[in-house]
Amino acid sequence: MNKSAAPRGPVPEFEVALAVGADDILAAQRLRYRVFSRGLGGGGDLTDHEALIEADRFDAYCDHLLLRDRSLHGTPADQVIGTYRLLRADQARRAGQFYCENEYDLGILRESGRTVLELGRSCVDERYRSGTALLHLWQGLAGYVADHRAEVLFGVASFHGTDPLTVAGPLSLLHHQYLAPANLTARSLRYETMDLVAPDALDRRAAMVHMPPLIKAYLRLGGRVGDGAFIDLAFNTIDVCMILDTARLDPLRQALYVAPRPR
């Protein structure tokens, strides 16, 4: 169990574990509702505004990684402050597809011969976003990746809103500097160009400042983006497909990434 400073209140006692049973999954869905539905104004296929949960059909096939703060009062479900939804290839076969295939053509990734893992519904409670909660969640993810020998991680990450021109700088920076290689990419099914600002007119520093924290964090780990953005009207977001080849992590990033397995 790791401890680190919290934005306010008592020192949190972070614990990362895979969901076990319906109550744990429900806790993840409630956190997702607070972040995605209430916070961003979006909604999934089965968003329930009365029960205050955000859910879809893929939840039943996935593993759900949970980050708890054991210093909080209440039940274990009340202590869930972060989550990742993980979908392996064998689970995707049972589900009929990866979630991302609603937005991106994953043919190249599927045919790469690499072991792939889809990351989705990543979120952290607003109170913990300025601390180390995301790092603890990633440490649990690293253990899962190692256990399942995943070689390529991918999933959609989002900008708030549905007008690409409002985030033209960050999208253009992704296009010009962070495109995935042709042999390990995905293409938007409802293609929105990210090439909105010419390289010589782009303020790269300002673009990075306005990059969503999760996307920025993926880039620091060596992440790249697929070809084209996708506007998700239901979730009120502009999505990009992040792709991370774990073989390309340098030693420093590996040291940050590799950690004990979730319990």
Side-chain angles (χ1 to χ4, degrees):
M1 185 178 296
N2 298 306
K3 295 185 178 183
S4 63
R8 63 177 73 87
V11 175
E13 299 177 9
F14 289 129
E15 176 186 279
V16 184
L18 291 173
V20 179
D23 287 346
D24 280 352
I25 295 175
L26 183 61
Q29 292 169 338
R30 285 176 174 164
L31 174 63
R32 284 158 38 183
Y33 182 88
R34 295 198 302 273
V35 174
F36 299 130
S37 299
R38 184 180 293 162
L40 297 178
D45 296 339
L46 299 176
T47 297
D48 187 330
H49 295 287
E50 292 186 4
L52 306 181
I53 64 172
E54 188 280 311
D56 67 19
R57 74 176 188 86
F58 291 91
D59 284 335
Y61 299 94
C62 296
D63 286 332
H64 301 262
L65 190 65
L66 306 180
L67 176 64
R68 289 185 170 92
D69 179 0
R70 289 297 192 182
S71 74
L72 297 177
H73 297 297
T75 68
D78 296 327
Q79 297 170 340
V80 173
I81 56 91
T83 188
Y84 249 114
R85 191 172 75 175
L86 312 174
L87 187 61
R88 304 187 307 270
D90 59 310
Q91 296 167 318
R93 282 193 293 271
R94 292 195 292 273
Q97 64 171 89
F98 285 104
Y99 173 83
C100 278
E101 288 179 293
N102 291 325
E103 302 185 7
Y104 282 84
D105 180 351
L106 302 181
I108 292 176
L109 285 178
R110 280 185 172 275
E111 296 165 10
S112 67
R114 311 283 298 281
T115 302
V116 299
L117 173 67
E118 182 180 62
L119 313 180
R121 294 299 200 272
S122 172
C123 60
V124 172
D125 185 284
E126 184 178 10
R127 297 169 294 170
Y128 292 82
R129 291 176 196 164
S130 62
T132 60
L134 183 58
L135 176 60
H136 285 272
L137 193 58
W138 274 6
Q139 288 174 339
L141 173 61
Y144 186 94
V145 167
D147 286 343
H148 293 279
R149 299 181 180 180
E151 299 172 290
V152 179
L153 316 181
F154 68 94
V156 295
S158 304
F159 294 84
H160 182 47
T162 56
D163 182 359
L165 293 180
T166 64
V167 288
L171 286 176
S172 297
L173 180 62
L174 292 175
H175 175 81
H176 295 310
Q177 194 165 327
Y178 294 102
L179 280 182
N183 66 340
L184 207 67
T185 192
R187 181 178 172 85
S188 174
L189 296 175
R190 196 160 64 228
Y191 194 91
E192 290 286 338
T193 184
M194 296 191 293
D195 186 7
L196 299 170
V197 180
D200 58 356
L202 180 62
D203 185 338
R204 295 172 186 264
R205 183 176 182 280
M208 188 58 77
V209 166
H210 291 96
M211 196 77 69
L214 182 61
I215 296 178
K216 193 182 301 185
Y218 281 136
L219 297 178
R220 287 173 180 153
L221 280 175
R224 295 294 183 263
V225 296
D227 184 13
F230 183 97
I231 296 178
D232 188 338
L233 297 175
F235 267 89
N236 192 33
T237 58
I238 300 166
D239 296 342
V240 294
C241 186
M242 301 300 306
I243 302 165
L244 177 62
D245 183 351
T246 61
R248 298 184 56 145
L249 295 179
D250 64 33
L252 174 60
R253 288 168 177 155
Q254 288 179 14
L256 292 172
Y257 190 63
V258 176
R261 276 61 167 165
R263 298 191 299 176

